[in-house]
Amino acid sequence: MIHLERLGPEHADAILAGQDPALAAEIVGERWSRASLDSFLARAARWRADGPIREFAGMSGGAHGGAGVLLGGGGLNLLDPGLEHGDAVLTYWILAPHRGRGHGHDLVSALLARAREDVRISRLVLRIAPTNHMSCALARSVGAQQTSERERHPADAARAVDRWILDLRED
């Protein structure tokens, strides 16, 4: 089981150790350096817990601040180009050593629970590289639908992503 906590500087060592070219390409377009990661994590730690931009660490092990292992992370972002009222961008990632064990599904389920608790969010937008087959399969497994829209990759303007939608208020 995965529990979410706010992503912050305390996660830097695990991210640096667990990143690989696939993760780097999807998140920032290149491997994190210590300086660039520290800068990002310091900003993330200052964001309000209920703010429009939230980044989470997906932890195994002890919940509620206990010891755990960083498996991956993700975010809910209500401020992003191309979003409509009620939309939020859902992001997720699993560190290389923890892939292929079902952690992605557990992480996305935890993020979906957070999104459903937020009355501002009625629909999630996922932007997935067409070659990221694991992410496409995960999105499909939680009910997201691929649209016919192609967009610029958030980390690399030379690449495109497919837009997926998950309506949270449909049931």
Side-chain angles (χ1 to χ4, degrees):
M1 193 71 188
I2 286 184
H3 71 275
L4 299 177
E5 62 184 43
R6 290 180 71 177
L7 188 67
E10 65 276 17
H11 302 109
D13 290 337
I15 292 170
L16 289 172
Q19 71 178 334
D20 65 346
L23 180 63
E26 289 304 315
I27 294 181
V28 293
E30 60 187 14
R31 291 176 83 79
W32 287 107
S33 68
R34 171 57 78 170
S36 63
L37 181 59
D38 285 348
S39 176
F40 169 73
L41 293 175
R43 284 192 315 274
R46 290 190 302 269
W47 294 332
R48 289 189 350 246
D50 64 345
I53 301 173
R54 291 168 283 166
E55 291 290 332
F56 301 98
M59 306 294 293
S60 72
H64 308 295
V69 173
L70 178 67
L71 302 173
L76 296 170
N77 186 345
L78 284 80
L79 300 175
D80 208 61
L83 294 183
E84 298 176 13
H85 179 74
D87 286 354
V89 172
L90 170 67
T91 60
Y92 49 87
W93 48 274
I94 297 292
L95 293 172
H98 305 293
R99 290 188 199 128
R101 301 180 190 173
H103 297 309
H105 194 273
D106 292 343
L107 174 65
V108 169
S109 294
L111 290 165
L112 290 177
R114 281 290 165 106
R116 285 185 174 104
E117 292 170 357
D118 190 328
V119 297
R120 299 171 295 180
I121 302 173
S122 59
R123 189 172 79 154
L124 293 171
V125 174
L126 297 80
R127 295 181 174 126
I128 304 173
T131 57
N132 190 340
H133 303 294
M134 290 188 345
S135 188
C136 292
L138 178 53
R140 197 173 288 110
S141 77
V142 297
Q145 301 291 315
Q146 185 176 358
T147 71
S148 60
E149 297 176 57
R150 276 265 158 104
E151 301 179 3
R152 181 183 74 80
H153 191 288
D156 182 356
R159 293 188 297 151
V161 292
D162 291 328
R163 184 181 183 103
W164 293 64
I165 300 294
L166 178 58
D167 191 335
L168 296 180
R169 306 301 177 223
E170 250 182 34
D171 287 335

